[in-house]
Amino acid sequence: MATVKTDTTFEVYLNELDEKDQDTIIRLDQMLTKQFGKDNRNIWEGKFWGGSQQQIIGYGEIPIKGKTDETWFMVGLARQKAYFSLYANAVEDKTYLAKKYQDQLGKVKVGSSSISFKQFDDIDLPTLEKVFNIAYQQWLEIKQ
């Protein structure tokens, strides 16, 4: 995985999306910036999992365990070809939040830390907000 935090703004990222996809990204971004704030939102670019080139909106920068000078994001949001993805790099009871709450998240596909869905209405918003809140609290602890 070779990724970098860029100077690309959220607005530029958003304008590169199809209009039909912008609403979902805006709604999720509003939920995330309510917690993390707009100043803690960055666009990450590069070759991600599986070697695919993509962009992810990252919220709450965190250090990568075991690497002194590399960082990542606590929560990520991206538009893929056929679906939207959320990445929650937080755990509870030694389980990634996506896995722990997968049965409550709605019509989604879940990986270790990823939540994929086709449209906004597929997600159970109260559960997603709970996941975001837990990730945010963990991010605050890491920041200290």
Side-chain angles (χ1 to χ4, degrees), residues 1 44 109 129 143:
M1 194 165 57
W44 296 76
K109 181 180 174 188
E129 193 156 17
K143 267 184 39 163

Side-chain angles (χ1 to χ4, degrees), residues 14-26 84:
L14 192 64
N15 287 330
E16 292 173 354
L17 297 176
D18 290 339
E19 197 171 310
K20 64 180 176 51
D21 297 329
Q22 290 178 1
D23 183 59
T24 296
I25 295 294
I26 289 169
F84 295 91

Side-chain angles (χ1 to χ4, degrees), residues 53-64:
Q53 183 74 26
Q54 53 182 298
Q55 291 180 308
I56 296 178
I57 308 166
Y59 302 83
E61 195 169 336
I62 57 174
I64 295 176

Side-chain angles (χ1 to χ4, degrees), residues 120-132:
F120 188 80
D121 293 338
D122 289 343
I123 297 259
D124 180 82
L125 291 179
T127 304
L128 186 61
E129 193 156 17
K130 181 177 186 173
V131 166
F132 289 166

Side-chain angles (χ1 to χ4, degrees), residues 49-100:
W49 314 274
S52 63
Q53 183 74 26
Q54 53 182 298
Q55 291 180 308
I56 296 178
I57 308 166
Y59 302 83
E61 195 169 336
I62 57 174
I64 295 176
K65 232 179 203 174
K67 303 206 177 181
T68 57
D69 59 348
E70 292 186 48
T71 59
W72 197 233
F73 46 81
M74 181 59 85
V75 176
L77 168 62
R79 176 65 175 135
Q80 311 297 349
K81 279 186 181 177
Y83 53 88
F84 295 91
S85 291
L86 288 161
Y87 306 94
N89 295 307
V91 296
E92 191 175 71
D93 303 323
K94 298 182 181 179
T95 304
Y96 277 107
L97 299 179
K99 284 285 192 191
K100 181 167 182 178

